[in-house]
Amino acid sequence: MARLLVVEDEPDIALALRTLLQRQGHEVHHAADGVAGLRAVHSERPELIVLDLGLPQMDGWEVLRRIRDLSDVPVMLLTAAGRDEDKVRGLRAGADDYMTKPFSNNEFIARVAALLRRSGDASYDGTDLVYGDVVLSPARHTVSVAGSPVSVTPQEFRLLAVFLRHQGQLLTQAQLLSLVWEDSSAIGTDRVKFAVLRLRKKLGWEDPECSPLVAVRGMGYRLDAPA
Ligand code: CA
């Protein structure tokens, strides 16, 4: 069982989703608008968020953007029928999956289960990510090196979190763009390069000869296991 958050303004759909998820043994919190949803992200620390795009006042896009500024929690987007273009936009904006209303209950349950499986047990629950003397805390949204706080932008934070979660794995420019940047279509790979350079500098890994964050020419980057 997992702790889930449903952000949905239509009471009937919210109730149906809640009932469905509770029947699977999940603990379900509900928010009826985006602001309440963001508040619940902080207070309930859900392990997965089901987010409707059509919300009053702050729409689902803005909610998603703000969630992604501070967390890698899996997000399943819900949207109205006939909005297929939202799918690509949603995945680019950092959503993990996407369903168009109306959808089959069985498919919804299966996709939620798959997302929870993929996200693993500890990786999204706010547990600190530790790499040598570097500590990234998703819960406090802080980075420190040898106990001293390091100031990073939200994008540098996300970039570091991605590297820490995929240690030893080559991440291509395209993967980094889609995982870290909200709109990967509008920017070039230079953006990745400069962000990596800034991150190296902030972490004291400037020397390319001994930086554990390695550039793989023409491919991407890899964070080697700590020495
Ligand atoms: Ca709605």
Side-chain angles (χ1 to χ4, degrees), residues 95-114:
D96 297 271
D97 202 357
Y98 181 96
M99 292 199 78
T100 303
K101 296 180 202 171
F103 43 76
S104 100
N105 288 352
N106 287 342
E107 188 181 357
F108 176 75
I109 289 298
R111 292 221 202 164
V112 164

Side-chain angles (χ1 to χ4, degrees), residues 53-74:
L53 280 173
L55 294 169
Q57 290 145 19
M58 186 191 294
D59 71 10
W61 295 113
E62 180 64 13
V63 176
L64 176 60
R65 194 181 68 74
R66 295 195 190 194
I67 291 171
R68 278 293 168 261
D69 274 347
L70 52 96
S71 159
D72 283 334
V73 60

Side-chain angles (χ1 to χ4, degrees), residues 8-10 52 54 101:
E8 166 65 77
D9 59 318
E10 287 151 72
D52 183 33
K101 296 180 202 171

